[in-house]
Amino acid sequence: MPIPNGGLITETNEQYYAGAQGFRALTAAAGQSFATTFNTDLIFGSFNPALLNYALNNFKLYTSADGVTYAEYTAAYTVVNNTVTITGAIALGTYIVVQLKALDGGSYGARNATGETVEENYGGYSYITIGDIIDNFMVGYVGDGKLIQTCKKSDVVFHVKRGMQEFSYDTLKSIKSQELNIPPSLAVILPQDYVNYVRISSIDQLGVKRIIYPANNLTISPYEMPLQDNAGQPTQDNFGDNLEGTSITEERWANANDRFITGTFNNANFEAFFDFMQDGYGYGLDAYGRRYGLDPALSQINGWFNMNEREGKVAFSSNLANRLIVLEYISDGLAYDLDSRVPKMAEDAMYSHLLYSILSTRAGTPEGIVQRFKRDRSAKLRNAKIRLSNIKLDEIVQVMRGKSKWIK
Amino acid sequence: MAVNINTVYTTVLYILNKEQRGYVTPTEFNSLAAQVQEEIFNSYFPDGNQLNRFNQNNQQNDTEFFNMFKNQAYKLYPFEQDAAFILDVPSQTFYYNGTRTVYKLGEIISTYSGNPTYNSITQLTSKSDFSTITRSNLTSPTSQYPIAFTTHAVIVTNPVTPARLVINISPLPTSVSINCLFRPVNPIWGFTIGGLGQYTYNPTTSTNFELDISEQTNIITNILKYCGIIIRDPEIVQSAQAEIQQVETNEKS
């Protein structure tokens, strides 16, 4: 079982869990090659730790004479097509280990192969790459005697990437997140592969996340702030472009006291008001501590954010300055070509999407066929959504146990 | 297995001479042999296209030896070969530098060395499709999905060669291997002249037909058809044509 035998698993247990693959030198000749078979491609910058590119390596090479004590091999070697070729001669029977970088530094030598390469591969079996989807589709759905007799590969590539984008928005588990600190400027830059946000939360001292709400109707980051003359006309520079100023709206929002919006109880104000009342103005004392006319949507202390499209940033309300936040967002799954992976739960939905997309854009396809695959796509997409929603009976039961709790 | 040219020539002569109908000289025969080989070779493509319709309609007989499309495709094996194309550095194109003549390009495998090394199936497109595909950021070619187009250009690498078929691949691979279909080499019935002035077969200077052995009858009847024209014997032309027609009807119905 630990040895890959033609199934979809191609790594040994050692390769997967420890991120290591061992070899032995069968001769003492120079130029011996050792082909690694990790799911992860080796990234090779340099064999020499003194050189800058050495830090690019996503692995370390260790050798040992006895298979017990290992030391890092820093003499010349090359890596082509995931095959390590040691330039010089090594002793017959030498143990050689390629250790991918891991959070714990691996198990060889000084245990300093520190990185995240091994961890990035964990759980990879639940995904299929876009490349595999394309190849499988061409084999299974395109050819003589099939509905799609011929199809350009570039068409399939186009539709699979479009499908990947659409699936990413509402079907796939492609929510990404960044942990950020809100600077005094109260704005953080949108991630490089940002498409839309899912949720922004501040993290309290217990590590509990508190949802920050969008300031939809409260404030705005204007897109343009033309400088106006006394007549209200925008003024232009020497090149004929409008002169731009800074946003006063943003400035006011940054300095705003959110208590005026949330109606949060303020002890100092309360004491002052109490003293005022004690001075002989007896009426109104029964209004202490009461809140009239509050908007429940605004009565929260977690803070607000709004999108500053002009600067490509997320802006926050002033009470969140220096707070830790987590920005959860969705990307389209195509930011990095090699990273494009589809959960296996949605694999069939992707094939159906391809079938429908290709047949519906092909001249002469009977409408009945198109409609059949439209329904097929819709049904499989729904299945994929349900599967990826991770609805587990035990978890539902746990939530439902709350039904017996007495609520006053 | 190739068709032996001496077998064909002696059979043709035997049939022609059976009733003293005439004689075809080796030079005439060689010309006819080249013509017939070319004709049969070229007939494979429309025939293959026709026979593939059975595949498309799921009507093909797929028992072991009776899949007509596969049988037809099999006949191309003598002309099929993986050929390495060479990079012309100045023009960044690949060209075939062998002795044979490229007839058609089949599957193109582009190799991109590195980590990892990709051996990618390359999509052959027209120049206009190439331009369109490269402009879309979703379909722009990568080392995993390269695209190519062919053109006719002069190779400027020394020695400068006449204009020939070149292939442009994007992105530029390290090396290219293409499953090519080559034009058949002309058959030659080589001979020496004996003491009595007779033609004697010389295998060392001869070139056999490259066509598959299953085409031997077809070659003979086709050559006979042309021989009938040369010796002005309509009876031979008619009987050869009838024979060819019957074979065609049998194969394609």
Side-chain angles (χ1 to χ4, degrees):
Chain A
M1 180 159 138
I3 299 169
N5 59 358
L8 293 181
I9 285 183
T10 54
E11 284 188 317
T12 62
N13 291 163
E14 185 191 24
Q15 284 174 301
Y16 179 76
Y17 292 106
Q21 185 172 4
F23 305 93
R24 286 198 78 180
L26 299 177
T27 68
Q32 290 187 69
S33 293
F34 306 96
T36 62
T37 54
F38 294 106
N39 285 348
T40 310
D41 292 321
L42 298 185
I43 299 171
F44 178 64
S46 171
F47 61 87
N48 187 350
L51 296 178
L52 205 59
N53 282 347
Y54 174 77
L56 295 175
N57 294 2
N58 67 347
F59 69 97
K60 288 201 176 193
L61 190 65
Y62 296 97
T63 55
S64 167
D66 56 7
V68 178
T69 310
Y70 282 86
E72 189 181 352
Y73 187 83
T74 53
Y77 64 88
T78 57
V79 180
V80 174
N81 198 23
N82 297 320
T83 298
V84 178
T85 303
I86 294 177
T87 311
I90 47 174
L92 175 69
T94 300
Y95 293 84
I96 297 129
V97 168
V98 177
Q99 169 72 60
L100 298 180
K101 289 185 175 175
L103 284 174
D104 63 1
S107 310
Y108 298 91
R111 297 174 187 266
N112 60 350
T114 311
E116 292 185 9
T117 309
V118 175
E119 284 74 14
E120 281 165 7
N121 183 42
Y122 288 158
Y125 191 71
S126 57
Y127 293 92
I128 182 167
T129 65
I130 272 192
D132 286 340
I133 291 256
I134 293 168
D135 291 343
N136 294 347
F137 184 80
M138 295 299 283
V139 169
Y141 297 95
V142 180
D144 291 335
K146 296 172 184 168
L147 269 175
I148 304 173
Q149 301 273 352
T150 63
C151 183
K152 289 177 190 168
K153 204 165 188 178
S154 53
D155 287 355
V156 181
V157 171
F158 172 80
H159 288 300
V160 81
K161 287 189 174 178
R162 280 294 302 125
M164 186 74 189
Q165 288 180 312
E166 291 300 321
F167 281 30
S168 292
Y169 302 146
D170 55 8
T171 306
L172 303 183
K173 291 191 299 178
S174 56
I175 297 172
K176 297 187 161 191
S177 54
Q178 280 190 353
E179 187 182 274
L180 301 162
N181 275 300
I182 299 181
S185 65
L186 295 173
V188 295
I189 300 168
L190 291 174
Q192 202 171 356
D193 55 349
Y194 172 90
V195 172
N196 200 353
Y197 72 88
V198 175
R199 189 182 298 113
I200 304 178
S201 321
S202 71
I203 305 297
D204 68 13
Q205 295 303 315
L206 296 175
V208 174
K209 64 178 187 179
R210 297 177 176 276
I211 296 173
I212 305 172
Y213 295 96
N216 292 333
N217 297 320
L218 282 175
T219 190
I220 189 171
S221 292
Y223 203 81
E224 288 181 9
M225 295 82 61
L227 286 180
Q228 296 163 286
D229 60 16
N230 288 338
Q233 292 285 340
T235 53
Q236 286 80 36
D237 61 15
N238 293 338
F239 302 103
D241 294 330
N242 277 350
L243 288 166
E244 292 277 332
T246 53
S247 169
I248 298 167
T249 312
E250 286 172 15
E251 189 183 321
R252 289 180 182 173
W253 177 249
N255 295 323
N257 182 350
D258 64 295
R259 290 175 192 275
F260 294 141
I261 301 166
T262 61
T264 309
F265 179 78
N266 183 321
N267 203 42
N269 290 348
F270 175 79
E271 294 297 335
F273 185 66
F274 189 80
D275 293 345
F276 173 72
M277 290 297 174
Q278 290 292 317
D279 290 344
Y281 300 90
Y283 58 88
L285 281 174
D286 55 347
Y288 286 171
R290 299 189 181 183
R291 299 286 181 270
Y292 295 107
L294 287 183
D295 183 351
L298 303 178
S299 300
Q300 51 91 19
I301 59 166
N302 291 354
W304 290 277
F305 72 90
N306 69 291
M307 289 294 157
N308 185 341
E309 301 287 353
R310 184 182 76 254
E311 295 179 3
K313 291 177 178 173
V314 193
F316 294 89
S317 52
S318 56
N319 62 324
L320 288 169
N322 302 317
R323 297 281 288 274
L324 183 69
I325 62 148
V326 171
L327 166 61
E328 294 170 75
Y329 66 99
I330 48 173
S331 185
D332 65 357
L334 298 178
Y336 304 99
D337 195 42
L338 297 177
D339 287 343
S340 298
R341 300 185 303 174
V342 180
K344 285 181 177 171
M345 297 281 187
E347 185 180 348
D348 210 27
M350 187 60 93
Y351 294 138
S352 291
H353 166 79
L354 286 174
L355 274 170
Y356 168 66
S357 302
I358 291 169
L359 287 169
S360 64
T361 52
R362 176 159 294 196
T365 309
E367 187 56 23
I369 298 281
V370 175
Q371 289 304 319
R372 183 176 119 203
F373 283 99
K374 187 176 184 181
R375 285 195 294 275
D376 190 49
R377 175 187 183 272
S378 174
K380 285 180 178 168
L381 190 60
R382 193 184 316 120
N383 270 352
K385 281 182 186 174
I386 293 169
R387 288 168 171 178
L388 293 168
S389 297
N390 255 343
I391 299 169
K392 312 288 184 199
L393 187 58
D394 289 349
E395 292 166 17
I396 293 173
V397 168
Q398 182 67 12
V399 171
M400 296 304 284
R401 282 193 180 115
K403 79 182 190 315
S404 58
K405 185 179 177 185
W406 283 73
I407 301 171
K408 284 184 180 177
Chain B
M1 195 177 121
V3 178
N4 186 290
I5 192 159
N6 192 40
T7 309
V8 173
Y9 188 41
T10 49
T11 309
V12 166
L13 287 182
Y14 177 74
I15 294 170
L16 287 179
N17 287 332
K18 194 177 174 193
E19 294 174 17
Q20 297 296 311
R21 287 177 190 271
Y23 186 77
V24 174
T25 65
T27 315
E28 287 170 338
F29 173 79
N30 285 341
S31 299
L32 296 181
Q35 169 66 18
V36 165
Q37 179 166 258
E38 197 78 18
E39 260 181 31
I40 293 173
F41 177 74
N42 283 319
S43 73
Y44 289 154
F45 305 102
D47 288 357
N49 187 38
Q50 192 177 337
L51 292 168
N52 195 38
R53 286 176 202 151
F54 292 107
N55 288 341
Q56 292 168 344
N57 299 324
N58 286 327
Q59 291 173 341
Q60 187 65 260
N61 176 354
D62 201 23
T63 46
E64 191 172 3
F65 298 114
F66 303 97
N67 185 322
M68 297 306 287
F69 176 74
K70 279 185 188 166
N71 290 349
Q72 190 76 5
Y74 166 80
K75 289 177 183 173
L76 284 173
Y77 82 88
F79 312 101
E80 214 174 325
Q81 200 179 333
D82 269 340
F85 276 50
I86 296 166
L87 175 65
D88 178 49
V89 177
S91 62
Q92 299 284 282
T93 56
F94 287 86
Y95 66 100
Y96 173 68
N97 200 31
T99 52
R100 302 196 66 169
T101 307
V102 175
Y103 189 77
K104 281 178 192 292
L105 296 178
E107 188 174 69
I108 303 168
I109 301 291
S110 300
T111 300
Y112 297 87
S113 296
N115 248 340
T117 294
Y118 291 113
N119 292 308
S120 306
I121 298 172
T122 309
Q123 182 185 338
L124 187 61
T125 65
S126 66
K127 177 76 171 72
S128 70
D129 277 355
F130 183 90
S131 303
T132 313
I133 291 169
T134 48
R135 275 167 176 73
S136 161
N137 60 2
L138 287 182
T139 58
S140 58
T142 63
S143 51
Q144 284 162 290
Y145 306 109
I147 59 170
F149 72 92
T150 53
T151 188
H152 197 236
V154 173
I155 301 302
V156 288
T157 307
N158 282 332
V160 176
T161 60
R164 59 168 70 192
L165 170 82
V166 296
I167 178 162
N168 289 263
I169 303 175
S170 175
L172 191 73
T174 318
S175 61
V176 177
S177 174
I178 304 180
N179 185 32
C180 289
L181 212 51
F182 289 104
R183 195 169 173 271
V185 176
N186 285 343
I188 297 167
W189 190 83
F191 59 90
T192 51
I193 298 176
L196 301 173
Q198 80 281 23
Y199 298 117
T200 308
Y201 176 59
N202 181 0
T204 54
T205 57
S206 295
T207 306
N208 286 329
F209 290 90
E210 279 193 285
L211 297 170
D212 182 63
I213 189 71
S214 61
E215 294 288 9
Q216 183 165 315
T217 312
N218 204 5
I219 292 169
I220 291 168
T221 48
N222 270 288
I223 291 177
L224 276 172
K225 181 181 76 179
Y226 285 115
C227 290
I229 294 168
I230 290 171
I231 62 176
R232 296 183 182 183
D233 188 337
E235 202 178 317
I236 289 202
V237 175
Q238 279 164 12
S239 73
Q241 269 179 338
E243 174 75 18
I244 292 163
Q245 189 62 41
Q246 194 181 346
V247 171
E248 282 228 345
T249 310
N250 269 343
E251 279 181 355
K252 292 181 186 171
S253 57

